[in-house]
Amino acid sequence: MASDLNVDTSSTLAFLLAVLPLLLKGLQVTVAAALLGFVVAAVAGLFFAVLRRSSSRLITWPLVAFLEFVRDTPLLIQLFFLYYVLPQYGIVLPAFVTGAVAIGLQYSAYTAEIYRAGIEAIAKGQWEASTALNMSRARIYGVVIIPQAIPRVVPALGNCLVGMLKETPILSTISVLEMLNLAVIIGDRTYQYTIPLTIAGILMLVVTSVFSYLIRLVELGLPKRGVPLR
Amino acid sequence: GTLDDIRARGFARAAIHNEPPYAFMTPDGTAAGVGPEVMTAVLKRLGVEQIDWVVTPFSTLIPGLKAGRWDVVAAQQSIFPERCQQVNFGNPTSTAAEALLVKAGNPKKLHSYDDIKNDPTAKVAVPTGSVQLKYLKAYGIPDDRIVLFSNHADAPELVLSGRVDAYTIEDAAADLLLRSGRVKGLEVADPFKIPVVDGKEVISYAGATFKKEDTDFVEAFNKELGAFEKTPDFAAIMDKNGLRPISAKRALAMTAAERCAGK
Amino acid sequence: MEDMLGYLRYLAVGMKATATVGSISFISAVLIALVVGIVRAQQIPVLKSVAFVYVEIFRGTSLLVQLFWLYYTLPLFGITVAPLTAACLGLALNSGAYGSEIVRGALLAVPKDQLEAATALNLNAAQTLWKITLPQAAVEMVPPFGNLAILVLKDTALVSMISIADVAFKAQELRTFTYDSARIYTVTLLVYFGMALIVMAIGRIAEHYLRPPYLRRRTILLGRA
Amino acid sequence: MTDIIEFETVTKSFGALTVLDRFDFRVRQGEKVTLIGPSGSGKSTVLRILMTLEPFEGGNIRIAGQSYHMPDGKGPFRATQAHLFNIRKHVGMLFQQFNLFPHMTVLRNITEAPVSVLGLSKAEARERAMDLLAMVGLSDKATFYPNQLSGGQQQRVAIARALAMRPKVLLFDEPTSALDPELVGEVLNVIRKLAEEHDLTMIMVTHEMRFAREISDRVCFFDKGRIVEEGPPDQLLVRPSHPRTAAFLAAVLGESSRPPLPDDADRQVSRNGPQPHPDTPAQVLGRAGAAA
Amino acid sequence: MTDIIEFETVTKSFGALTVLDRFDFRVRQGEKVTLIGPSGSGKSTVLRILMTLEPFEGGNIRIAGQSYHMPDGKGPFRATQAHLFNIRKHVGMLFQQFNLFPHMTVLRNITEAPVSVLGLSKAEARERAMDLLAMVGLSDKATFYPNQLSGGQQQRVAIARALAMRPKVLLFDEPTSALDPELVGEVLNVIRKLAEEHDLTMIMVTHEMRFAREISDRVCFFDKGRIVEEGPPDQLLVRPSHPRTAAFLAAVLGESSRPPLPDDADRQVSRNGPQPHPDTPAQVLGRAGAAA
Ligand SMILES: Nc1ncnc2c1ncn2[C@@H]1O[C@H](COP(=O)(O)OP(=O)(O)OP(=O)(O)O)[C@@H](O)[C@H]1O
Ligand SMILES: Nc1ncnc2c1ncn2[C@@H]1O[C@H](COP(=O)(O)OP(=O)(O)OP(=O)(O)O)[C@@H](O)[C@H]1O
Ligand SMILES: [Mg+2]
Ligand SMILES: [Mg+2]
């Protein structure tokens, strides 16, 4: 990709046509990073949310502190540590993976809250009925609570995905060539910034709109039967 | 024109980004480095005594210039043809030759771009948007062994963390970095064969940047710059900032117009 | 250790900028969010379409692009705003779009029963909004607005691109001089976390006093909402 | 006496479901009418339409001589807010879930609308509220918040709140069905007092049959959006003429059999339970059951 | 007969509020006991403690000879999960809100716990479930989801679900109070059948007094966390000896007065409404009232 950075700047139109395919390639990276991050956030968040409800303070207290810290400090700096400090302990992940995991971890702090709200919104009676049936805690989570919580949290999780799409430009700090970073690089080469940045912005708008639409479709497609809607 | 505006206003607005020794803001708030110091001297000769300095990320230097947020950029930006279509350059005041920073002891024995190319495990980092990328490509080094970084401060970490084996840097910046003693565990690859692209040793030429339409300003600037370059003050600036004598000597032999034409 | 104190002192200038931009932006964002959220929740004709387009655009494109346009591109059309204004405007418009969803959600979450009771008492739409819906929704809005405040705080890191020397920018500057990245970033991380803790504390206090007495918690600072 | 409420061939549907079909219904001024009938038969819908909480599609409704339609024949929900405002002046409503405003004190709940809708001064509204609170027996709760009160107290506050607007017609939608049994009495006492000592027009949906019988001038039995039978309570509740009314009363009174009268010694085991029970528990419970 | 349930000086508080104070209570195997009493008197708490849904602070509880305490004397909520598991084997519970799992079919609701807790094969569990569904008269609803059923049907499914675990003791916490009145009967019919044809031990909180009288061996009247009076239903419900019991029964039966018996012509207007009503509505309603 880097090799294609010689772009035709002879006219605005030529420039635009030269930039667009480059940015579209960057967009693939953007979307891929967001999706991978989303998987991390969706899984880790659920794990944290369940752990967070543990009755042992030995577990919840450090977890809350960790999540709060992850949530309240800039991703930029977290990325730096993951990217440069982890290798000192022998863990060398590719930049793309590091970035996606970092975004995913940061968002897991949000998704954990979302899942928690989703789990807590489930009537206490469900817990009590399951206990009365002598089901184990793991079973109650796995069979009764989480299956009911998931459909409720889909919209909020969807918003997280869209949010993550827009966080990906930060990955440029660890040399991941996502779309906005590419736009800036093209600008640095040619000293024409407005066109690549604006196209990147528009592409981002299109992608987020498409994702929002898809999320709405998923929401509508959720089973209506058997699930109490609020 | 902009020069008239500056004179009417009484002060100039100039932008830099932090890249010692070419331009940087000292912690006490004055701009220093080759670019700002030359700019200060030349503007003084043009009758402008006072300059407002702005430090801003590299990528915003030109948009800010075009938007009229500042009058001139004194960040010693490299002059090459694509850029000349968007802005005007003053005549070059410094040149830079390529150097390579590697881990102390140069474990992979990298002494030229060819060495990088020929070692399939060697990875190299370059700044985003830089010409070095073009050179590496010209040598046929594949994309997956090139890592782009956006901030010079990231580069030592890249090498020290083992993510890359070397990074390209301009000789003067490398000298400064090593002399400062702040980064341990790195060294300049020595000897290093200056890369050759299209049959020429690659040297980058850097100067002040002006708006496209400010031709009269550039002319006036170049005129006073020519005069200033003959004074010992100019040589003192280069010396103070640790540039090798060859750097300015090469620069004075070239004009911006020639560089823009691809010479 | 002494180095780190020195770094902290160096970052202090940036902290002032970050705090200024952050607080002005956040307050403006809340105001924008209230107006836009109400317009959308009340389905006010024409305005609701404008609000929809605004929200989609400012949520859909990235803040970086928005700041770039405000600061570097608008002047090409003859509109020049000062850096601080541009920074606050950009952040406020961007966060306001997110905030409006909070407001809208909270308003729509007020039980329909309450609206019916208000209708049965012959309160008009404005009175219902002002006296019944909004006060009840406000309580629900505070925690998400607290989260938004922290997002704004983190987003201020982007204003360095319009030449405002905030904490992140000062940290980068330090790095170019010292190459002492790990320790500089550690200090920076702590600075942001400290500021976030202050924001959170303010949020908790606001929440405490916005809640009607019967819903107040005894402790303000312990426990998440 | 004049009819204060007139429904003429009113039609109302929710999507494909027609809830009211050419529905006619009249209430005289001062009359106390109780609506009974199975769940989903449209009782609440009638009250909600009257309160302008639901639009309707066809027919006409007049209240206190005023048509819900604008003079040009436009339906009530294309009618202007000003027009609806004038109609709502005459009507008040009590809800099953009380629907007090949780963020306001009891006093503020009662004074809010008189001040902002009727334009009373704060002092006047306060005085009126305190009188009403005294009437419902809650003078000492003026500064409490709703969720500091029991359900029965909340519903009594809701009654005071509705009365503070001085409506001509008061609608009650199962005002006691969300209450614990021993709290029902205090609310019914207040309603009874209202009914006995005042000529407010009252329309009530309730399952409190004895209370309905005691208080109503007329009981209407609803089924599938129609009034199947209506008449004085002593007749309709005791000797219903329509078989559907009889079946409904049997189900409600026989099976659920809430209070045994202290000396009602003979067990009334109804035999018309709605579901057949093919097996006996002993059979079904099997081994473990036998072990118990 | 042996006592299957024994509460010995059990103490339970919520924060500062002591709900049960040195509470003693015994139930014989196969006995049907009904708990009645005012709201907040601790009836649900007793059931919830038995179901291990609430911890308790002092005293001891034995069920089917097994102590809630670990052999080393540790309380049930410091007891291991395995210990609690063994206790819960004997007990099942029905809830006011049914608490079916909304995302599972009726069949799955019933088979889930037998398969995952008792380790039945799917086929066995299914067979057991179908038998139970037949018993509660819902064989045709096996593939439905709970929210496709009426409240009464849901509660009957919940009964089947509890029975599928073959408990020795079944607890009912107001099993019909969330139901529309005409759905109450079908649920009571199922419970009645259970009670008549099977020697399951049953402890029930209910406001269905006639039903309680018909079905219970013993009725306990609760007040403020104590059993104030207990005895056979015909005695306690008809001729209560304790004045508080009498007052409670008067309030529930007299005032709320759910069904009028078809020929109960004489109105029973109770005079012990809980709140004094100092003003008459006519006075309070003032001008607008007079205008109505
Ligand atoms: N908002 C609505 N949307 C769709 N259908 C509705 C709506 N409100 C009521 N219905 C339907 O209209 C019918 C009549 O409802 P209504 O609430 O008037 O019955 P009801 O006689 O008051 O019953 P209940 O005793 O259960 O309160 C029912 O079938 C109900 O499902
Ligand atoms: N989780 C809890 N936290 C605090 N107090 C509680 C809790 N559960 C119950 N209580 C209190 O304990 C007392 C007894 O409650 P309980 O539910 O046992 O009463 P009850 O007799 O079942 O009443 P009801 O007829 O209203 O169901 C009440 O005062 C109640 O407010
Ligand atoms: Mg109804
Ligand atoms: Mg209870």
Side-chain angles (χ1 to χ4, degrees):
Chain A
M1 195 181 300
S3 56
D4 308 330
L5 282 179
N6 289 320
V7 290
D8 185 352
T9 58
S10 55
S11 74
T12 305
L13 184 67
F15 185 54
L16 217 147
L17 289 179
V19 163
L20 193 60
L22 278 178
L23 292 184
L24 281 174
K25 275 192 207 164
L27 186 60
Q28 290 172 8
V29 178
T30 298
V31 171
L35 286 177
L36 178 56
F38 180 70
V39 172
V40 172
V43 174
L46 182 56
F47 178 70
F48 291 148
V50 171
L51 218 55
R52 174 85 176 71
R53 290 174 53 86
S54 154
S55 52
S56 160
R57 289 205 188 155
L58 241 55
I59 296 174
T60 55
W61 216 89
L63 183 68
V64 168
F66 168 76
L67 290 179
E68 203 60 64
F69 189 79
V70 166
R71 209 171 69 109
D72 295 343
T73 49
L75 185 55
L76 173 85
I77 301 174
Q78 294 170 10
L79 271 176
F80 173 85
F81 278 102
L82 282 180
Y83 192 66
Y84 294 117
V85 178
L86 278 189
Q88 294 173 11
Y89 301 96
I91 307 168
V92 188
L93 297 173
F96 175 81
V97 176
T98 312
V101 167
I103 290 190
L105 270 184
Q106 174 147 81
Y107 269 80
S108 72
Y110 295 97
T111 53
E113 284 295 310
I114 291 171
Y115 282 118
R116 194 156 83 95
I119 289 173
E120 273 166 15
I122 291 167
K124 211 171 132 233
Q126 295 288 312
W127 280 99
E128 299 187 338
S130 320
T131 309
L133 290 171
N134 224 348
M135 293 164 74
S136 68
R137 228 176 130 76
R139 192 83 194 165
I140 296 175
Y141 268 119
V143 177
V144 177
I145 302 301
I146 291 172
Q148 289 188 62
I150 300 267
R152 290 164 196 262
V153 300
V154 163
L157 286 185
N159 288 341
C160 273
L161 175 56
V162 173
M164 293 168 94
L165 269 172
K166 279 174 287 177
E167 293 269 8
T168 49
I170 295 257
L171 298 194
S172 64
T173 47
I174 56 166
S175 71
V176 174
L177 278 181
E178 53 65 56
M179 178 171 62
L180 206 59
N181 190 18
L182 265 177
V184 172
I185 290 174
I186 293 167
D188 286 346
R189 284 289 297 168
T190 61
Y191 284 0
Q192 287 198 64
Y193 291 89
T194 307
I195 288 179
L197 276 179
T198 306
I199 296 179
I202 292 171
L203 285 177
M204 189 60 103
L205 181 61
V206 170
V207 170
T208 51
S209 305
V210 169
F211 270 75
S212 301
Y213 178 72
L214 290 178
I215 291 159
R216 222 164 295 148
L217 282 190
V218 172
E219 255 177 86
L220 290 179
L222 287 175
K224 295 286 171 293
R225 265 188 342 175
V227 179
L229 293 171
R230 268 165 64 89
Chain B
T2 302
L3 186 54
D4 304 322
D5 292 346
I6 295 173
R7 286 188 169 130
R9 203 191 299 133
F11 62 90
R13 299 167 307 170
I16 57 168
H17 90 291
N18 278 315
E19 193 188 356
Y22 299 109
F24 55 96
M25 191 66 97
T26 57
D28 64 20
T30 53
V34 177
E37 287 169 37
V38 171
M39 179 64 65
T40 308
V42 175
L43 283 183
K44 196 167 179 183
R45 286 165 161 267
L46 286 168
V48 182
E49 294 279 343
Q50 199 188 333
I51 303 177
D52 260 14
W53 295 100
V54 179
V55 192
T56 192
F58 182 86
S59 300
T60 63
L61 288 168
I62 302 308
L65 183 69
K66 286 183 174 175
R69 298 267 172 203
W70 37 82
D71 307 310
V72 62
V73 173
Q76 288 300 94
Q77 295 179 293
S78 293
I79 308 168
F80 51 89
E82 286 117 311
R83 291 178 173 177
C84 297
Q85 291 179 0
Q86 300 299 321
V87 291
N88 256 318
F89 283 99
N91 282 332
T93 47
S94 67
T95 58
E98 291 307 311
L100 205 58
L101 269 182
V102 294
K103 255 199 189 135
N106 199 353
K108 292 219 162 142
K109 305 287 167 231
L110 304 174
H111 295 286
S112 68
Y113 282 7
D114 279 318
D115 290 347
I116 299 175
K117 182 189 164 195
N118 293 333
D119 181 349
T121 64
K123 285 191 170 187
V124 61
V126 287
T128 59
S130 66
V131 277
Q132 282 91 340
L133 177 60
K134 210 165 145 186
Y135 306 153
L136 290 172
K137 295 308 301 177
Y139 269 76
I141 297 167
D143 279 350
D144 59 5
R145 293 207 270 128
I146 301 176
V147 170
L148 297 175
F149 64 89
S150 52
N151 190 314
H152 273 274
D154 292 339
E157 308 281 350
L158 275 170
V159 177
L160 291 173
S161 68
R163 288 193 175 270
V164 298
D165 303 293
Y167 76 92
T168 67
I169 184 171
E170 293 174 343
D171 49 6
D175 290 349
L176 183 82
L177 177 61
L178 294 181
R179 237 184 303 126
S180 75
R182 288 215 174 81
V183 178
K184 307 237 161 26
L186 290 185
E187 68 177 36
V188 179
D190 187 38
F192 180 69
K193 186 175 171 299
I194 293 187
V196 177
V197 175
D198 299 335
K200 277 187 301 191
E201 284 195 335
V202 292
I203 304 287
S204 64
Y205 290 74
T209 320
F210 301 84
K211 269 185 259 190
K212 190 79 184 154
E213 63 269 24
D214 279 347
T215 40
D216 51 340
F217 189 8
V218 179
E219 240 168 68
F221 181 88
N222 279 343
K223 192 160 156 258
E224 289 304 325
L225 176 64
F228 177 62
E229 282 167 348
K230 299 195 174 72
T231 68
D233 290 353
F234 179 74
I237 291 175
M238 296 297 148
D239 192 43
K240 176 182 146 206
N241 284 298
L243 269 63
R244 299 171 192 174
I246 179 82
S247 168
K249 201 176 144 208
R250 281 197 188 116
L252 299 195
M254 180 72 79
T255 65
E258 287 169 321
R259 282 300 289 171
C260 285
K263 224 185 132 191
Chain C
M1 199 58 222
E2 245 166 61
D3 280 357
M4 293 185 55
L5 276 181
Y7 295 155
L8 189 62
R9 230 170 285 133
Y10 191 88
L11 293 181
V13 183
M15 279 153 75
K16 213 177 127 198
T18 296
T20 312
V21 173
S23 50
I24 296 177
S25 310
F26 178 67
I27 292 169
S28 323
V30 171
L31 296 178
I32 294 173
L34 281 173
V35 172
V36 175
I38 288 172
V39 162
R40 292 195 67 192
Q42 300 286 105
Q43 301 273 325
I44 299 173
V46 186
L47 283 183
K48 76 173 183 199
S49 317
V50 177
F52 174 79
V53 171
Y54 155 74
V55 170
E56 287 303 306
I57 287 183
F58 278 85
R59 281 197 334 157
T61 58
S62 69
L63 178 58
L64 189 90
V65 175
Q66 289 157 23
L67 284 175
F68 185 87
W69 261 84
L70 269 175
Y71 196 67
Y72 296 113
T73 305
L74 275 191
L76 303 180
F77 301 100
I79 307 164
T80 304
V81 287
L84 189 69
T85 316
C88 295
L89 198 63
L91 265 173
L93 286 172
N94 185 274
S95 319
Y98 285 93
S100 73
E101 292 291 284
I102 295 174
V103 174
R104 187 165 78 110
L107 286 175
L108 295 182
V110 173
K112 214 173 124 244
D113 289 352
Q114 291 287 313
L115 304 182
E116 296 191 341
T119 307
L121 289 173
N122 227 346
L123 296 172
N124 65 29
Q127 288 166 335
T128 304
L129 173 69
W130 194 242
K131 302 196 154 146
I132 309 300
T133 342
L134 211 49
Q136 292 186 54
V139 181
E140 303 307 315
M141 289 178 211
V142 177
F145 267 128
N147 292 340
L148 188 69
I150 286 173
L151 285 182
V152 170
L153 173 66
K154 290 195 288 178
D155 279 345
T156 53
L158 278 181
V159 301
S160 61
M161 77 162 294
I162 56 177
S163 328
I164 292 176
D166 72 319
V167 174
F169 185 77
K170 282 283 167 192
Q172 294 296 3
E173 212 168 74
L174 264 179
R175 288 179 65 216
T176 17
F177 296 133
T178 63
Y179 286 93
D180 189 7
S181 300
R183 283 199 294 170
I184 291 169
Y185 272 148
T186 306
V187 175
T188 313
L189 215 53
L190 293 176
V191 164
Y192 273 106
F193 192 50
M195 296 206 288
L197 288 180
I198 294 171
V199 168
M200 271 156 44
I202 295 173
R204 293 268 162 77
I205 292 169
E207 192 184 339
H208 179 80
Y209 287 104
L210 265 176
R211 274 185 194 283
Y214 64 90
L215 282 178
R216 276 182 198 164
R217 295 158 188 271
R218 254 170 306 151
T219 50
I220 303 185
L221 294 180
L222 296 178
R224 275 208 90 72
Chain D
M1 254 188 182
T2 49
D3 285 342
I4 193 167
I5 289 169
E6 302 163 58
F7 278 63
E8 272 171 22
T9 61
V10 170
T11 307
K12 161 74 191 164
S13 6
F14 292 108
L17 176 76
T18 300
V19 178
L20 301 180
D21 185 16
R22 304 185 59 75
F23 180 76
D24 289 311
F25 181 53
R26 291 168 169 266
V27 179
R28 270 171 301 122
Q29 182 159 321
E31 199 180 9
K32 276 73 177 160
V33 179
T34 298
L35 313 184
I36 62 169
S39 181
S41 55
K43 308 179 295 293
S44 299
T45 304
V46 168
L47 299 196
R48 293 169 53 79
I49 288 176
L50 259 178
M51 192 67 254
T52 75
L53 296 175
E54 296 280 357
F56 59 97
E57 287 96 39
N60 198 0
I61 298 178
R62 295 165 68 81
I63 178 158
Q66 236 180 325
S67 173
Y68 267 35
H69 290 259
M70 299 282 281
D72 62 0
K74 286 193 176 151
F77 288 82
R78 266 163 296 170
T80 58
Q81 282 298 323
H83 184 75
L84 291 179
F85 181 89
N86 277 325
I87 289 162
R88 284 195 292 253
K89 271 189 190 165
H90 306 300
V91 195
M93 183 159 177
L94 270 289
F95 300 88
Q96 190 175 356
Q97 295 297 338
F98 333 137
N99 297 356
L100 293 182
F101 303 130
H103 58 300
M104 297 179 179
T105 61
V106 163
L107 187 65
R108 188 71 205 289
N109 260 284
I110 303 176
T111 56
E112 181 56 46
V115 170
S116 59
V117 178
L118 304 182
L120 260 60
S121 78
K122 289 220 167 126
E124 282 174 295
R126 204 191 123 86
E127 198 183 326
R128 188 186 282 193
M130 291 311 297
D131 285 349
L132 287 163
L133 279 175
M135 189 200 93
V136 300
L138 292 172
S139 301
D140 53 336
K141 304 289 185 196
T143 58
F144 283 47
Y145 283 89
N147 70 347
Q148 297 173 306
L149 304 182
S150 75
Q153 292 170 328
Q154 288 190 49
Q155 192 63 296
R156 280 146 66 199
V157 172
I159 293 174
R161 182 175 71 172
L163 290 176
M165 298 298 283
R166 306 228 162 129
K168 292 190 181 121
V169 180
L170 205 47
L171 312 174
F172 297 81
D173 194 359
E174 309 196 18
T176 58
S177 64
L179 298 176
D180 279 324
E182 76 273 32
L183 301 180
V184 169
E186 60 188 71
V187 173
L188 293 186
N189 268 344
V190 170
I191 301 177
R192 179 183 292 121
K193 205 161 77 170
L194 264 181
E196 284 172 1
E197 305 181 8
H198 193 68
D199 73 340
L200 205 63
T201 308
M202 286 165 55
I203 308 180
M204 185 159 9
V205 176
T206 184
H207 295 294
E208 304 290 334
M209 295 300 178
R210 174 179 299 177
F211 178 75
R213 183 168 163 190
E214 176 193 332
I215 217 173
S216 334
D217 299 316
R218 175 160 54 117
V219 177
C220 304
F221 175 68
F222 263 61
D223 195 24
K224 305 205 176 95
R226 322 193 123 266
I227 295 177
V228 173
E229 182 175 358
E230 59 181 321
D234 286 334
Q235 177 201 313
L236 188 131
L237 293 177
V238 181
R239 281 170 299 276
S241 62
H242 197 287
R244 258 190 278 164
T245 318
F248 174 79
L249 288 174
V252 172
L253 304 180
E255 279 298 328
S256 96
S257 65
R258 299 247 158 151
L261 287 181
D263 267 315
D264 167 35
D266 53 326
R267 289 188 186 180
Q268 285 223 341
V269 182
S270 168
R271 288 287 155 231
N272 54 355
Q275 293 287 341
H277 300 149
D279 300 284
T280 69
Q283 276 177 320
V284 173
L285 286 176
R287 295 184 312 280
Chain E
M1 253 189 183
T2 49
D3 285 342
I4 193 166
I5 289 169
E6 302 162 59
F7 277 64
E8 273 171 22
T9 60
V10 169
T11 306
K12 161 76 190 163
S13 8
F14 292 107
L17 176 78
T18 301
V19 178
L20 301 179
D21 184 17
R22 304 185 60 76
F23 179 76
D24 289 309
F25 180 53
R26 290 168 168 265
V27 178
R28 269 170 303 124
Q29 182 159 322
E31 199 179 9
K32 275 76 179 157
V33 179
T34 299
L35 313 184
I36 63 169
S39 180
S41 55
K43 309 179 297 292
S44 299
T45 304
V46 169
L47 299 195
R48 293 169 53 80
I49 288 176
L50 259 179
M51 192 67 256
T52 74
L53 297 175
E54 295 282 354
F56 60 96
E57 288 95 40
N60 198 358
I61 298 178
R62 295 165 67 82
I63 178 155
Q66 234 179 328
S67 172
Y68 266 35
H69 290 259
M70 299 282 282
D72 61 1
K74 285 192 178 152
F77 288 82
R78 265 164 298 169
T80 58
Q81 282 299 323
H83 184 73
L84 291 180
F85 181 89
N86 277 326
I87 289 162
R88 284 195 291 253
K89 269 188 190 164
H90 307 300
V91 195
M93 182 159 177
L94 269 289
F95 300 87
Q96 191 175 353
Q97 296 296 339
F98 332 137
N99 295 349
L100 294 182
F101 304 131
H103 59 302
M104 298 180 182
T105 60
V106 163
L107 188 63
R108 182 81 200 287
N109 260 283
I110 303 175
T111 56
E112 177 57 40
V115 170
S116 65
V117 178
L118 303 182
L120 260 61
S121 77
K122 288 218 167 131
E124 282 174 295
R126 205 191 121 86
E127 197 183 326
R128 188 184 282 191
M130 291 310 298
D131 285 350
L132 286 164
L133 279 176
M135 189 200 91
V136 300
L138 291 173
S139 301
D140 52 336
K141 305 289 186 196
T143 58
F144 283 46
Y145 283 90
N147 62 357
Q148 296 172 305
L149 304 182
S150 75
Q153 292 170 330
Q154 289 189 48
Q155 192 62 298
R156 281 144 66 198
V157 172
I159 293 174
R161 183 175 70 171
L163 290 176
M165 299 298 283
R166 306 229 162 130
K168 293 190 179 120
V169 179
L170 205 47
L171 313 174
F172 297 82
D173 194 358
E174 308 196 19
T176 58
S177 64
L179 297 176
D180 278 323
E182 76 271 32
L183 302 179
V184 169
E186 59 188 73
V187 173
L188 294 186
N189 269 343
V190 170
I191 301 177
R192 180 183 291 121
K193 205 161 81 171
L194 264 179
E196 283 172 1
E197 304 180 7
H198 192 69
D199 73 341
L200 205 63
T201 308
M202 285 164 56
I203 308 180
M204 185 156 12
V205 176
T206 185
H207 294 294
E208 304 290 335
M209 296 297 178
R210 175 178 298 178
F211 178 77
R213 183 168 164 192
E214 175 193 332
I215 218 173
S216 334
D217 300 317
R218 176 161 54 117
V219 177
C220 303
F221 174 68
F222 262 63
D223 195 25
K224 305 205 177 96
R226 321 193 124 267
I227 296 178
V228 173
E229 183 175 357
E230 57 180 322
D234 286 335
Q235 177 202 314
L236 188 131
L237 293 178
V238 182
R239 281 170 300 274
S241 63
H242 197 286
R244 258 191 277 164
T245 318
F248 173 78
L249 289 173
V252 173
L253 305 181
E255 279 296 331
S256 96
S257 67
R258 300 246 160 150
L261 287 182
D263 266 316
D264 168 34
D266 54 325
R267 291 189 183 180
Q268 286 222 340
V269 182
S270 166
R271 287 289 153 230
N272 53 356
Q275 292 287 341
H277 300 149
D279 301 284
T280 67
Q283 275 176 319
V284 173
L285 286 176
R287 295 184 311 280

